[in-house]
Amino acid sequence: MEPSVKFINKKFPHLDVRSSTQHLGPVHKDKGDIARVLGPFYHSFLDVLEFRDHVYELLNTIDASQCFFDIHVNYDFTKSYLDLVVTYVSLVLLLARTEDRRLLIGMYHCAHEMSHGTSDPSFARLGQMVLEYDHPLKKLTEEFGPHTKAVTSALLSLHFLFARRNQGAEQWRSDQLLSLLGTAGTMLSPASSDTMACEYLSLEVMERWILMGFLVCPGALGSSPQCLELWRLALQGSLYITLLRDEALQVHKVTEELLSSLKGYGKRVADLKECKEHAVAHSGSLHRGRRVYLRGAVRELEVLLEDQPGLLGPKALFVFMALSFCRDEVSWLVRHAEHVTKTKTPEDFADSHVAELLFLMEQLRSLVRRQVRVLQRYHVQYLARFDALVLSEVIQNLSVCPEEESIILSSFVSSLSALSVKEVDDKEQFDFTPLRLDWFRLQAYTSVAKASLPLGSNPDVGRVMNLIVFHTKLLDSLEDLLAEASDLSDLCFYPRPMEKMFVATMEEPSMLRYSIAFPLLCSHFSRCVHPMCPEEYPHLKAIALGLCNKFLEEMARQASACVMDACAEQHNLSEQLLPKHCASTVSKARNKKTLKQPAKKGEPERDKPGTESQRKDRTLTTNMDKLHLTLAELSLSLNHVPNFTVFEHTVTPAEYLSSHLETRFTKAIVAMAGYSQATQEVARPSEVLVGLSAYMTFIQSLGQFVGLDTGRIIRSVLLQQTQPRDAAGEQTLTTIYTNWYLEALLRQASTGAIILAPALQAFTTVPQEGEPPFSAAEFSDVSEMRALAELIGPYGMKFLSDNLMWHVGSQVTELKKLVNENMDTLVQLRSSSCKPEQMAALLPRLTSAENVLKRMIIIGEILSFRAMAQQGLREVFSHHCPFLMGPIECLTEVVTPDTDIQVTLSIFELASAAGIPCEVDPALVNVLAGNKPDGSSLEEDYKVACLLLVFVAVSLPLLASDPASIYNTEVDGYNNNIHCLAKAIIHVSAALFTVHNKNIETHLKEFLLLASISLLQLGQETDKLRARNRDSISLLMQLIVAESSFLTVDMLETCFPYVLLRNAYREVCRENLLSRVPSH
């Protein structure tokens, strides 16, 4: 394809398709695709050609008619003429900037001729136009030579207006521009002008008219000093002017190149260079001063009108002037920030305070929309009682008024006189479009030479009608008027300067409250879409939504970071109040009366909680002061509007903050736990709960700043913490504490480093070498279990319970394997329960008895921890939902042995979820029911369950030989955790026989009998080492009975005399007392 491209570029527009087949072979191959793809481009160029023809015709007609132009009189006619000239010039310059225009047109022409056998009829003229505009300015000066007089006359009418509008901030300040307070006595007088629309006419538009007008009509510069003065003034204000959207013209450079190529313009080139130097040196500071003035003046205007909206009626013009001035300055700043890359004064093209200007514009626009009824009521009366009378008087004073013009003007008077306030009160829709169209036609008709009613000779008609047009627009075209005065949609094409200005705003603390202006600005961008170019819609929509999202995300990020920093400060303060930090204070208080000890070096005096609130000088700001200030400013911004629309998308700023807060709050909670999988370090649940309360308290206080549903945020985050994973898939407190209690605390308990202390209702660390790096009691006592239940809630406790039960199930599976290995021996032992000699003979044949006991102890430890966690859950649940806990407890009490097993399990499952202990643990039943060995029948599994109890019962005497099997009265348990056997035996047997739907009590009685026989045989043991802790082991029988609701002391008495238990208790207590007596 490359040879074809080179050929087309070289031969354009003289392309002989038939004789150039060897060069255009690739084009012929893909002619269909080429014609389809390049068709829209080709027809766009044809549209330019057609537009040029119409412009030629219209300009020639205007010249032939010798039209009169004066922006102050026939405003609409003059403005439309100058817009036509500038639009045409801009189009030609953009055409010349289009790269590969020859290639696009030429390749389409070749593909079209190859497909249809003939060339497009417009190709020859189109090719000629493209060649003519290779040097567009030279061609344009030739084209506009005949039109110089008309263009010059239109531009000269701008002289006074442009000079008055193009002033510095000092002059504005001395004139008290836009100030209502400067002339307080005339505050209620209507703001009026002979040049109404000119007052809010964009200065940037006038600059474009002047500079581009004289660019194509340079001969006018030497014909009139006023033209030269106007041109020089315009050149001093800007370095770049807009062609279209982000396409800009470096006006000094382009004008210099053109004038240098023309003869006799040496002086103008010198003037141009002088103006350029002035613009480079002073334009930046000129516009910076204007922006500073406008911020103060518009802020004052907005505050006054917000407080007294009735002033909008007489002072409506001030609002549109303010909007227009602000729009011009913002547009100038963005345009030059994008295109001026090298400058000695970069501060002139950057403004960290521009957000305030944008914000004030939004405020004025919003105010006008809200007070539309005020404007309508005032100006309906103004039109009917003043404008109509003035126009009637002007008509009567006309020296000549032809019939047609008289009819039109009289119809204007009658239409305006008929207006009444009732139409506003009845909310009728006004439509003055026909009146304004008639006036536009009348302007054109009366602006030609030899008109019956020459408008140039009767300027009062034009001035009065311009006033009327403005007032009618306030009634029926308010949105169009606002767009005309303050539309900033072109900033959609300047994303980089916008982002830079936003970043500068976010770095300026005093501007944070105005930062919402940038997202609101994105709602203007939908005005960029043109009905003739619908394919742009998705692209512009993506830009607008992307920018809006980026701005709000950054605002929400900073606000949420500020919130989290403040929360962290509050957390630190609350942490100072923890009991563990008061030891030194208590110690000092107790030793007050003793001699003062000299302070040790390296130990700084620790401040007491509360000292951070003591301040001698209010000017000294703390970190919390700064955070509160920043948060208040950002909250003002995010809470400025509840929502707004960007390309049919409703945007809610506060939701961005809500989303960021949820994410950061979630991470902060997990960080508070301080979990390290490598070292198994974690914070105590009670400490995390204190920190969480501090965070929640501050987040709840956010309601004072911003319209956030803080309750929803907290509920959402805390609910996620009750699940194994949060919304982002990260681990939660539930996962952290479940893993820690299983991997750290319970694993250490299984090794004997930690024991269960029923007297303390906690696990406690055994003081010995190699003990865990944490105190078990600090993580497992009653307060910690309550805190854990508060943190992870019922869902989290269920997840913890399910994990604990999974470990129990795996232990039971291993126990069943051990039972199967000893099946025959256990069957014989079970049948020989009344034959002690035979049992004694069979016992040595059992293998892995110690393993069975060890696994049962582990199960007991897990179940004991779960019972403690459930108790914590019950207390918390009772505190939070007392009226729900009562019915659940009542429901549990109505369960009887005769109740259907499924109903019983459903009730127990409900009770277990609330932390209420049950006779049969439903979670354990579910786990054991799902752990049936593959291939085994229900009968076999039931037999294994029965024999498991036999195995445990006959293995109990082995515990007596363990030196650690000593009952410790201080902890109300054993130093090797064998007291956990009671819970394991009772709960596992209850669950197993519930699975098989068998009588639990019967099987537990059988267990009691076998265990009693086995333990009674210890009394006949001749080996003292094997029976040395017989008394301590005997107490297990009492613990088993106490644990079960199915067994009673009377049942125990039938097989194990209570006198033995009493003697055992006495002996154990005596030994414990003797062990604590110091030796002499």
Side-chain angles (χ1 to χ4, degrees):
M1 188 62 78
E2 191 173 343
S4 301
V5 170
K6 290 181 179 178
F7 175 78
I8 291 171
N9 275 325
K10 182 179 179 181
K11 296 293 183 178
F12 183 89
H14 307 293
L15 299 170
D16 189 349
V17 177
R18 294 177 184 177
S19 62
S20 308
T21 52
Q22 65 179 30
H23 297 288
L24 300 174
V27 177
H28 187 274
K29 183 180 177 182
D30 297 323
K31 59 187 176 184
D33 291 338
I34 290 172
R36 177 175 53 80
V37 172
L38 298 184
F41 296 98
Y42 182 81
H43 288 99
S44 295
F45 287 116
L46 281 183
D47 290 340
V48 174
L49 177 63
E50 185 180 358
F51 178 71
R52 186 186 73 158
D53 294 341
H54 288 302
V55 171
Y56 277 179
E57 181 183 353
L58 185 55
L59 291 177
N60 289 330
T61 302
I62 289 172
D63 280 348
S65 302
Q66 298 179 17
C67 289
F68 157 77
F69 294 106
D70 188 340
I71 197 73
H72 305 102
V73 180
N74 52 357
Y75 173 83
D76 299 311
F77 189 56
T78 304
K79 179 178 182 296
S80 300
Y81 177 73
L82 291 172
D83 280 341
L84 176 68
V85 171
V86 168
T87 301
Y88 176 64
V89 173
S90 299
L91 184 63
V92 171
L93 293 175
L94 288 171
L95 174 65
R97 289 185 178 189
T98 306
E99 296 180 1
D100 299 327
R101 55 188 179 279
R102 294 187 179 194
L103 177 62
L104 292 171
I105 296 170
M107 190 169 286
Y108 176 83
H109 161 69
C110 295
H112 183 277
E113 187 168 338
M114 289 172 181
S115 299
H116 298 87
T118 180
S119 65
D120 184 82
S122 302
F123 172 71
R125 289 186 65 230
L126 184 58
Q128 186 60 36
M129 183 188 76
V130 170
L131 288 179
E132 288 174 355
Y133 289 130
D134 274 348
H135 301 286
L137 287 175
K138 283 189 177 180
K139 178 63 178 174
L140 285 169
T141 53
E142 293 173 9
E143 289 178 355
F144 275 90
H147 312 306
T148 299
K149 182 180 178 182
V151 173
T152 304
S153 66
L155 292 177
L156 277 175
S157 71
L158 296 172
H159 185 272
F160 173 75
L161 175 64
F162 187 73
R164 178 167 61 86
R165 287 282 304 278
N166 192 26
Q167 294 175 342
E170 295 78 11
Q171 186 61 44
W172 282 0
R173 197 169 282 109
S174 65
D175 294 341
Q176 294 187 318
L177 185 71
L178 302 177
S179 175
L180 298 181
L181 299 178
T183 53
T186 61
M187 192 177 288
L188 295 178
S189 301
S192 186
S193 168
D194 290 340
T195 56
M196 206 65 167
C198 297
E199 300 302 329
Y200 59 88
L201 177 62
S202 171
L203 187 67
E204 178 191 350
V205 168
M206 286 193 281
E207 275 187 351
R208 290 178 69 209
W209 289 346
I210 295 165
L211 294 174
M212 296 178 96
F214 287 127
L215 186 63
V216 295
C217 300
L221 295 174
S223 63
S224 166
Q226 283 188 324
C227 289
L228 183 59
E229 183 185 349
L230 185 62
W231 180 64
R232 285 174 58 90
L233 191 59
L235 283 171
Q236 292 173 3
S238 299
L239 299 172
Y240 289 86
I241 59 173
T242 303
L243 287 178
L244 177 73
R245 294 177 173 175
D246 59 335
E247 292 288 339
L249 185 69
Q250 194 172 357
V251 64
H252 299 89
K253 178 183 176 183
V254 171
T255 308
E256 184 178 351
E257 289 173 356
L258 174 66
L259 296 181
S260 299
S261 65
L262 300 175
K263 291 183 179 179
Y265 286 90
K267 289 185 178 181
R268 302 289 82 81
V269 172
D271 290 338
L272 178 69
K273 290 180 179 179
E274 181 185 340
C275 291
K276 181 180 179 181
E277 290 174 4
H278 185 278
V280 170
H282 302 292
S283 65
S285 58
L286 171 73
H287 287 275
R288 187 172 67 248
R290 286 179 182 172
R291 292 194 300 273
V292 171
Y293 176 80
L294 285 173
R295 283 201 301 274
V298 178
R299 188 190 310 119
E300 176 191 296
L301 178 67
E302 189 272 330
V303 169
L304 272 173
L305 294 177
E306 189 73 52
D307 185 60
Q308 299 293 330
L311 289 173
L312 262 178
K315 301 301 181 184
L317 179 62
F318 277 40
V319 173
F320 293 96
M321 288 171 62
L323 288 171
S324 179
F325 294 174
C326 291
R327 189 262 312 274
D328 284 341
E329 294 309 316
V330 170
S331 181
W332 185 93
L333 178 65
V334 172
R335 184 168 69 254
H336 285 76
E338 172 75 0
H339 296 292
V340 176
T341 54
K342 295 180 180 179
T343 175
K344 294 180 180 178
T345 55
E347 66 277 2
D348 288 341
F349 306 103
D351 189 352
S352 61
H353 292 75
V354 73
E356 185 177 2
L357 214 53
L358 293 170
F359 180 83
L360 290 170
M361 290 178 69
E362 288 296 334
Q363 286 293 85
L364 285 177
R365 290 164 62 94
S366 173
L367 178 65
V368 168
R369 291 191 181 104
R370 280 186 281 115
Q371 304 298 339
V372 63
R373 295 296 169 199
V374 172
L375 284 167
Q376 288 184 337
R377 286 182 65 87
Y378 184 89
H379 288 95
V380 157
Q381 297 176 76
Y382 201 103
L383 282 165
R385 300 179 187 178
F386 181 81
D387 290 342
L389 298 178
V390 172
L391 180 59
S392 176
E393 185 180 342
V394 168
I395 295 171
Q396 292 171 9
N397 292 334
L398 290 175
S399 56
V400 177
C401 188
E403 184 180 355
E404 289 185 5
E405 287 83 342
S406 177
I407 293 171
I408 294 174
L409 291 171
S410 298
S411 70
F412 292 167
V413 174
S414 61
S415 297
L416 298 177
S417 301
L419 294 173
S420 69
V421 180
K422 189 174 183 300
E423 294 176 63
V424 178
D425 295 337
D426 294 342
K427 298 184 179 179
E428 294 184 17
Q429 294 296 320
F430 294 99
D431 185 8
F432 293 100
T433 308
L435 184 147
R436 289 193 292 269
L437 184 58
D438 283 346
W439 167 235
F440 185 77
R441 289 169 175 160
L442 190 60
Q443 286 179 73
Y445 184 62
T446 56
S447 296
V448 298
K450 301 178 182 179
S452 303
L453 177 65
L455 202 58
S457 304
N458 300 280
D460 288 344
V461 176
R463 293 190 178 102
V464 173
M465 284 306 301
N466 288 338
L467 182 65
I468 290 171
V469 166
F470 174 67
H471 290 160
T472 58
K473 285 183 178 180
L474 288 172
L475 293 182
D476 68 343
S477 303
L478 193 58
E479 283 299 324
D480 293 339
L481 201 56
L482 284 172
E484 183 183 347
S486 64
D487 180 37
L488 286 168
S489 58
D490 279 353
L491 298 192
C492 179
F493 305 100
Y494 290 96
R496 284 180 300 176
M498 287 274 290
E499 289 175 16
K500 288 179 181 177
M501 287 192 290
F502 177 73
V503 169
T505 297
M506 298 305 289
E507 291 172 355
E508 181 66 40
S510 62
M511 290 294 108
L512 290 175
R513 63 171 58 194
Y514 306 120
S515 55
I516 190 65
F518 286 94
L520 289 175
L521 187 59
C522 298
S523 63
H524 292 226
F525 295 168
S526 57
R527 299 187 64 86
C528 293
V529 180
H530 196 280
M532 293 184 67
C533 197
E535 61 270 19
E536 278 192 323
Y537 185 90
H539 174 65
L540 295 176
K541 177 180 177 181
I543 291 175
L545 290 173
L547 276 175
C548 181
N549 186 64
K550 185 179 290 185
F551 295 149
L552 287 172
E553 284 285 349
E554 179 59 22
M555 291 166 64
R557 186 193 68 79
Q558 286 203 23
S560 60
C562 189
V563 171
M564 286 299 110
D565 288 345
C567 285
E569 289 275 349
Q570 295 292 339
H571 179 203
N572 292 337
L573 295 176
S574 65
E575 195 174 19
Q576 293 176 22
L577 298 174
L578 290 176
K580 65 180 183 181
H581 293 306
C582 71
S584 59
T585 306
V586 172
S587 175
K588 287 177 184 177
R590 291 182 64 183
N591 297 329
K592 258 186 178 180
K593 295 181 180 179
T594 62
L595 291 175
K596 210 170 192 180
Q597 298 289 334
K600 294 182 181 178
K601 289 184 179 179
E603 292 185 8
E605 186 71 19
R606 188 169 176 273
D607 291 334
K608 291 182 180 180
T611 54
E612 72 282 344
S613 299
Q614 298 171 3
R615 200 160 12 185
K616 293 180 180 179
D617 187 356
R618 192 60 187 85
T619 58
L620 298 175
T621 56
T622 63
N623 189 37
M624 279 299 287
D625 293 334
K626 295 173 184 175
L627 290 173
H628 273 100
L629 179 61
T630 304
L631 181 58
E633 295 290 305
L634 284 169
S635 298
L636 276 174
S637 197
L638 287 168
N639 207 35
H640 178 64
V641 289
N643 54 64
F644 58 94
T645 303
V646 178
F647 275 89
E648 301 173 2
H649 285 251
T650 300
V651 180
T652 308
E655 281 302 310
Y656 281 80
L657 177 56
S658 179
S659 175
H660 274 262
L661 272 181
E662 281 191 24
T663 304
R664 286 178 176 268
F665 189 23
T666 301
K667 291 180 180 178
I669 291 174
V670 173
M672 274 190 276
Y675 178 59
S676 170
Q677 195 167 7
T679 61
Q680 288 297 324
E681 292 179 358
V682 75
R684 295 165 62 186
S686 59
E687 293 180 2
V688 176
L689 184 61
V690 169
L692 179 60
S693 299
Y695 271 68
M696 286 170 55
T697 301
F698 187 81
I699 290 174
Q700 284 171 333
S701 72
L702 285 179
Q704 303 168 15
F705 296 101
V706 64
L708 278 181
D709 187 353
T710 53
R712 179 176 64 84
I713 295 172
I714 292 171
R715 285 194 300 272
S716 173
V717 171
L718 295 187
L719 187 60
Q720 289 180 48
Q721 293 304 310
T722 67
Q723 305 300 316
R725 295 283 169 181
D726 62 19
E730 300 294 329
Q731 64 179 4
T732 61
L733 290 181
T734 295
T735 307
I736 288 170
Y737 279 112
T738 297
N739 291 340
W740 188 85
Y741 278 109
L742 279 168
E743 299 298 326
L745 191 138
L746 291 175
R747 189 178 294 278
Q748 293 286 345
S750 66
T751 63
I754 292 174
I755 62 170
L756 174 66
L760 304 176
Q761 296 186 46
F763 283 87
T764 183
T765 305
V766 178
Q768 60 183 14
E769 291 184 8
E771 65 180 77
F774 59 88
S775 171
E778 290 183 358
F779 288 86
S780 59
D781 63 15
V782 174
S783 62
E784 296 302 326
M785 291 298 101
R786 287 180 194 148
L788 181 65
E790 286 273 12
L791 287 173
I792 67 176
Y795 287 121
M797 295 299 276
K798 186 178 187 305
F799 178 77
L800 172 63
S801 176
D802 290 345
N803 276 268
L804 293 171
M805 288 307 172
W806 182 88
H807 283 273
V808 171
S810 64
Q811 293 293 341
V812 172
T813 302
E814 295 301 318
L815 286 170
K816 287 180 178 180
K817 291 178 182 178
L818 296 176
V819 169
N820 284 322
E821 292 174 7
N822 295 276
M823 178 74 75
D824 295 337
T825 306
L826 291 172
V827 171
Q828 293 177 45
L829 280 168
R830 186 182 186 190
S831 61
S832 306
S833 59
C834 298
K835 302 172 184 177
E837 296 83 4
Q838 193 172 346
M839 284 183 68
L842 290 170
L843 282 172
R845 291 164 57 184
L846 287 174
T847 60
S848 306
E850 293 84 357
N851 195 356
V852 169
L853 292 172
K854 182 64 178 173
R855 290 186 181 279
M856 287 298 288
I857 291 170
I858 291 173
I859 291 173
E861 291 165 351
I862 294 174
L863 292 176
S864 297
F865 173 75
R866 180 172 181 270
M868 291 159 56
Q870 289 290 95
Q871 180 59 30
L873 173 61
R874 182 177 187 178
E875 292 178 14
V876 170
F877 194 75
S878 298
H879 174 69
H880 287 295
C881 309
F883 299 106
L884 190 58
M885 180 60 89
I888 296 175
E889 290 173 340
C890 291
L891 195 60
T892 310
E893 291 170 2
V894 301
V895 174
T896 64
D898 298 329
T899 308
D900 180 74
I901 188 63
Q902 293 304 322
V903 175
T904 300
L905 287 176
S906 297
I907 294 173
F908 282 172
E909 191 167 354
L910 173 64
S912 182
I916 301 171
C918 306
E919 293 177 347
V920 179
D921 193 324
L924 188 53
V925 170
N926 291 334
V927 169
L928 297 183
N931 280 357
K932 292 179 182 176
D934 297 331
S936 63
S937 65
L938 286 174
E939 286 300 322
E940 289 176 355
D941 196 44
Y942 168 62
K943 181 181 178 182
V944 169
C946 295
L947 293 178
L948 175 58
L949 285 184
V950 173
F951 205 160
V952 174
V954 299
S955 301
L956 288 178
L958 296 176
L959 296 171
S961 61
D962 187 349
S965 298
I966 299 173
Y967 189 84
N968 187 337
T969 55
E970 287 186 355
V971 298
D972 197 18
Y974 297 81
N975 293 335
N976 56 358
N977 276 333
I978 61 174
H979 51 288
C980 295
L981 278 171
K983 191 173 285 291
I985 292 165
I986 296 304
H987 285 279
V988 170
S989 59
L992 282 172
F993 296 122
T994 299
V995 170
H996 296 289
N997 202 13
K998 300 297 181 180
N999 189 285
I1000 300 169
E1001 184 178 327
T1002 303
H1003 289 84
L1004 285 176
K1005 284 181 179 179
E1006 181 186 0
F1007 171 80
L1008 268 187
L1009 178 62
L1010 282 169
S1012 299
I1013 292 171
S1014 300
L1015 289 176
L1016 289 171
Q1017 286 180 353
L1018 276 177
Q1020 301 171 5
E1021 182 62 57
T1022 56
D1023 187 348
K1024 290 185 178 181
L1025 287 176
R1026 295 182 64 183
R1028 61 180 170 181
N1029 289 323
R1030 183 187 65 183
D1031 291 330
S1032 291
I1033 299 303
S1034 299
L1035 298 181
L1036 277 175
M1037 300 302 291
Q1038 172 65 25
L1039 296 178
I1040 291 169
V1041 172
E1043 182 65 35
S1044 175
S1045 61
F1046 300 99
L1047 300 176
T1048 64
V1049 177
D1050 291 339
M1051 293 178 187
L1052 179 61
E1053 181 70 24
T1054 59
C1055 53
F1056 197 90
Y1058 189 76
V1059 66
L1060 295 178
L1061 288 175
R1062 187 171 65 246
N1063 292 337
Y1065 268 118
R1066 184 177 66 249
E1067 189 62 28
V1068 166
C1069 289
R1070 188 179 65 81
E1071 289 178 2
N1072 270 273
L1073 286 171
L1074 290 174
S1075 65
R1076 289 199 291 270
V1077 174
S1079 58
H1080 296 287

